[in-house]
Amino acid sequence: MISMSPMRPGAGVRYLFRGVMVGDGHRRAGTPLRAAQDEAGVPPGVWKGRGLAALGLAAGDVVTERQAELLLGEGRHPDADRIERELLAQGKTPEQARRATVLGRPIEHNRSPKTDKAKERTPWLAFDLTFRPPPTAHIAWALMDDEHRVVLELCDDIARDKTLARLEESVAEIRWKAGGKERDRVKDGLIVAVFRHYESRATESRPLLHSHAVVSVRARRPHDGKWGNLSADSLMTHIVAADTLYTLYFMEEVTARLGWAWEPREVTPGRRPVMDIAGIDRRLIGWQSTRRQQIEDALSVLTARYEEKQGHEPGEQASYALACQAADQTRPPKRTELLSLTELRRRWRESAIRAFGACTVYRLAERARAAAAGVWARVRPVADVALAAVDTVAVVYVMRGAFARHHLLAEARRHLAYVLRGRPHEPGLDERIVQAAVDDYTRPVGRGRRMSADLRTLYPRGTEDQAVLRPLTRNRTATQYERARLAADALAARVRAVRRAERLGYRPRPYAVAVPAASRSHPRPFRAGRKDGRLPEPGAGIDTVEQTRQTLEAAAAQVAATLQDSRRAREAAHGPRPQPTPAAVPQLHTQQPGTQHTPGRTAGGVA
């Protein structure tokens, strides 16, 4: 998953240098950055993003402490010291030299008494995007051998970099003028400093492979190349869609490199499931997520208080707010003891062996491969655009009512993760699903970019879907996601029924005539002849059957005549086709009376 938090001057910058850059540990005063990183056992940070070229940096370069202090802490050029020396040598004043190194508006501008009240706020200097793989990936990374550990770290790097590339291509916007009225895509790209971490903040250290991608708020405008600030609300709006994209990329990389499969796991009853590596012992999930158990214990108390005060269960937004409150209340202090990754992995393995035995720990990879074979034997990883569009619209409509395109995009990627189970998807398939959903099953709402489900399309007149599906979306005894799944499954069943009816209708079957279903529990196929969706009058049934029979007989006669003419022309050109001798015809094996046939074994002939 991906979480986002702002970094401001003061406390945010101190947290960056004392925590994020040294593995969320505790950096002693006066300790150099590289020394603190070596003591914490974490690698140094590296630069990412296409916007580095405008600053003279390259992707993969090590993030130095001075560069981070200038760019992420002051909003200045990372090589400002050299630029200032050159300008001072040319005769510039210190104020002019410093102003030349500032990217965009100086931080001091927001603190000036001359600015209006709308600008008197602490500016954002960066966004901290935290990338975390699914829980079972942490277990496999911590308890398996070094070969699997390296591969999982590589999968995380590739999925994170792909997600960041999609953000800077299609999401990141730069704003200018009063209130950010003017917005456009960034000229070059994003400037990101990535720091890899290994453990969680639980009281007892537990494995948590994650990365902090600190995105600089500075970017260049596309029309004049001047430096400005990124739009924070654009990134925050699309953070859930980016989260599902990162998970989808990570699943595909793991499956391609290790051959593992994924399966859904219900964490909270009635809520969305999460995708886990098939074959990983579920008991290890509880061992790894001790922090989650602390949050759940506090959340149950907060939820009970909310229900007592409000008189009803919390909704989706209220549940998220209560979960954040529970996380803040149970946040433990950071561990001051600095350990290397080798020492951490040794402790984690010993702890898991004491809790669940050596067989459970040392056979993780073997069981993951065996479980993957079982998943591929029963699951066909195929993505259907039409069914995915129906599923996406139904779930998002029941969950939100009115929605935007990025809501559909996030749900489409969840659908792909579920149906593909780690198999690669065609590039742009998620966008195709969303476009199909927008074109076929939605209608605009209001003057903005909001939309809602087109009920006239989802619930056609004259079909039984309207009576069946509406109670599913309005049943308040079930959770929102349960109602969404019921509606999506019913709509998918109707689409399959329509496809079967159309497929049978196109095939010439002279002895079968399609008639309306007698039971109202089965959906009827669409009929293009009547726009109101009503059935034909009963008195026209005999005439319709007779006309259909005559049409099919005429078509069959025409096909037979065409085949006869084709055979005569072929014989005239190449001569008659030789007939096979009786000896060349294989004899079918028939079972003699009184003998017993063994399934799977034959005594000759064709089985």
Side-chain angles (χ1 to χ4, degrees):
M1 63 175 294
I2 302 177
S3 60
M4 178 178 174
S5 58
M7 281 193 172
R8 297 182 174 90
V13 176
R14 288 193 298 270
Y15 174 73
L16 171 65
F17 286 94
R18 297 180 183 178
V20 173
M21 298 180 69
V22 292
D24 282 338
H26 179 73
R27 180 184 178 185
R28 295 189 300 271
T31 306
L33 177 61
R34 289 302 298 270
Q37 291 172 342
D38 293 339
E39 291 178 2
V42 296
V46 294
W47 291 108
K48 298 285 185 178
R50 295 184 304 173
L52 296 173
L55 300 176
L57 300 175
D61 290 348
V62 175
V63 179
T64 64
E65 186 171 9
R66 184 56 178 167
Q67 288 176 343
E69 180 181 356
L70 290 171
L71 179 60
L72 304 176
E74 301 178 7
R76 301 169 62 196
H77 196 285
D79 199 10
D81 295 338
R82 178 187 59 81
I83 297 175
E84 285 186 0
R85 289 195 301 267
E86 294 178 353
L87 293 177
L88 290 175
Q90 297 175 6
K92 301 292 184 180
T93 63
E95 291 77 10
Q96 292 174 340
R98 177 179 174 81
R99 183 63 185 88
T101 61
V102 175
L103 305 180
R105 178 180 296 173
I107 300 176
E108 295 79 4
H109 177 82
N110 296 76
R111 302 175 183 176
S112 174
K114 298 180 180 180
T115 58
D116 54 357
K117 293 184 179 180
K119 301 175 182 177
E120 291 178 1
R121 60 182 183 271
T122 305
W124 288 19
L125 293 176
F127 311 100
D128 182 11
L129 302 179
T130 305
F131 292 78
R132 291 189 294 271
T136 46
H138 308 312
I139 298 171
W141 168 82
L143 301 181
M144 291 186 184
D145 54 23
D146 287 335
E147 182 179 356
H148 287 87
R149 175 186 65 82
V150 173
V151 172
L152 289 172
E153 290 179 2
L154 178 61
C155 294
D156 176 61
D157 290 339
I158 295 176
R160 182 198 62 233
D161 293 346
K162 285 184 176 181
T163 305
L164 290 174
R166 287 288 293 270
L167 285 176
E168 64 182 356
E169 289 174 1
S170 57
V171 175
E173 293 181 339
I174 188 171
R175 57 182 177 84
W176 64 93
K177 289 189 177 180
K181 296 179 181 179
E182 299 293 335
R183 300 191 180 192
D184 202 347
R185 300 295 182 193
V186 295
K187 181 178 181 179
D188 306 306
L190 300 178
I191 304 171
V192 189
V194 178
F195 303 92
R196 167 66 56 77
H197 293 175
Y198 296 137
E199 55 183 326
S200 66
R201 297 189 55 158
T203 304
E204 183 181 357
S205 176
R206 284 292 181 262
L208 184 63
L209 176 66
H210 63 286
S211 301
H212 289 265
V214 183
V215 182
S216 174
V217 77
R218 306 300 187 184
R220 292 207 300 172
R221 302 173 188 171
H223 59 285
D224 56 8
K226 293 183 179 180
W227 289 91
N229 291 343
L230 292 174
S231 173
D233 54 356
S234 298
L235 290 177
M236 295 182 68
T237 299
H238 293 82
I239 195 64
V240 177
D243 174 17
T244 54
L245 180 63
Y246 164 73
T247 303
L248 185 62
Y249 280 148
F250 183 81
M251 291 171 56
E252 293 178 357
E253 292 296 330
V254 170
T255 301
R257 298 177 185 276
L258 297 176
W260 297 346
W262 298 78
E263 58 183 0
R265 174 175 63 92
E266 187 182 58
V267 180
T268 304
R271 303 291 182 180
R272 283 190 177 94
V274 298
M275 301 302 295
D276 283 336
I277 300 173
I280 300 297
D281 197 324
R282 297 293 177 86
R283 297 176 300 171
L284 291 172
I285 299 176
W287 166 83
Q288 183 266 340
S289 58
T290 56
R291 175 87 175 104
R292 177 180 178 83
Q293 187 61 42
Q294 296 172 359
I295 296 176
E296 289 181 351
D297 295 340
L299 181 60
S300 60
V301 178
L302 295 176
T303 304
R305 293 177 182 175
Y306 179 91
E307 294 177 356
E308 181 180 358
K309 182 179 180 180
Q310 302 295 335
H312 59 83
E313 296 182 356
E316 186 176 10
Q317 294 182 353
S319 299
Y320 178 77
L322 292 175
C324 294
Q325 185 179 353
D328 293 337
Q329 290 181 0
T330 58
R331 186 180 299 274
K334 294 183 179 180
R335 181 176 55 83
T336 58
E337 181 185 9
L338 300 178
L339 299 174
S340 64
L341 178 59
T342 304
E343 179 63 21
L344 288 173
R345 281 168 49 83
R346 184 187 66 80
R347 291 191 179 187
W348 293 333
R349 183 170 295 185
E350 290 178 355
S351 175
I353 291 175
R354 287 194 304 266
F356 308 107
C359 182
T360 302
V361 175
Y362 288 110
R363 296 186 62 185
L364 279 176
E366 178 184 349
R367 291 177 176 174
R369 289 191 296 268
V375 170
W376 302 132
R378 70 176 187 272
V379 176
R380 184 186 178 192
V382 176
D384 190 310
V385 175
L387 291 177
V390 170
D391 184 275
T392 299
V393 169
V395 173
V396 176
Y397 170 67
V398 177
M399 296 290 290
R400 307 191 66 90
F403 47 84
R405 187 182 181 89
H406 60 87
H407 296 125
L408 296 174
L409 196 58
E411 193 60 38
R413 290 164 179 170
R414 293 191 187 100
H415 178 85
L416 291 176
Y418 176 77
V419 299
L420 297 181
R421 304 297 178 93
R423 294 298 191 190
H425 71 283
E426 180 184 354
L429 181 59
D430 50 354
E431 296 285 352
R432 287 174 52 195
I433 293 173
V434 172
Q435 192 61 44
V438 172
D439 293 342
D440 299 336
Y441 303 110
T442 62
R443 59 181 178 83
V445 176
R447 298 181 179 179
R449 298 181 180 180
R450 292 275 173 170
M451 64 189 84
S452 184
D454 189 356
L455 300 184
R456 291 175 298 180
T457 304
L458 294 176
Y459 308 128
R461 299 178 183 178
T463 67
E464 291 78 3
D465 301 325
Q466 191 171 7
V468 173
L469 295 181
R470 286 186 183 275
L472 298 181
T473 59
R474 297 177 180 178
N475 182 14
R476 301 306 180 189
T477 59
T479 63
Q480 278 187 318
Y481 185 71
E482 288 176 340
R483 289 184 276 124
R485 289 299 339 146
L486 288 173
D489 294 342
L491 287 171
R494 182 178 64 81
V495 172
R496 295 189 182 96
V498 171
R499 286 181 174 179
R500 286 194 298 268
E502 292 178 350
R503 186 168 61 251
L504 295 176
Y506 294 150
R507 187 178 302 168
R509 299 180 63 183
Y511 301 103
V513 179
V515 296
S519 174
R520 294 185 62 85
S521 62
H522 299 283
R524 300 174 183 171
F526 290 114
R527 289 170 175 80
R530 299 292 296 272
K531 295 183 179 180
D532 56 357
R534 297 180 182 177
L535 296 176
E537 297 295 330
I542 298 177
D543 297 337
T544 303
V545 172
E546 181 64 22
Q547 184 179 2
T548 303
R549 184 184 64 80
Q550 295 177 2
T551 303
L552 293 178
E553 288 179 354
Q558 184 178 1
V559 172
T562 303
L563 293 177
Q564 185 71 11
D565 295 342
S566 176
R567 185 178 62 82
R568 290 174 181 174
R570 185 172 59 252
E571 290 179 354
H574 305 285
R577 178 178 298 178
Q579 299 294 329
T581 60
V585 179
Q587 299 296 326
L588 298 178
H589 172 69
T590 57
Q591 185 176 350
Q592 299 295 331
T595 61
Q596 184 176 3
H597 174 67
T598 303
R601 302 182 62 182
T602 60
V606 180

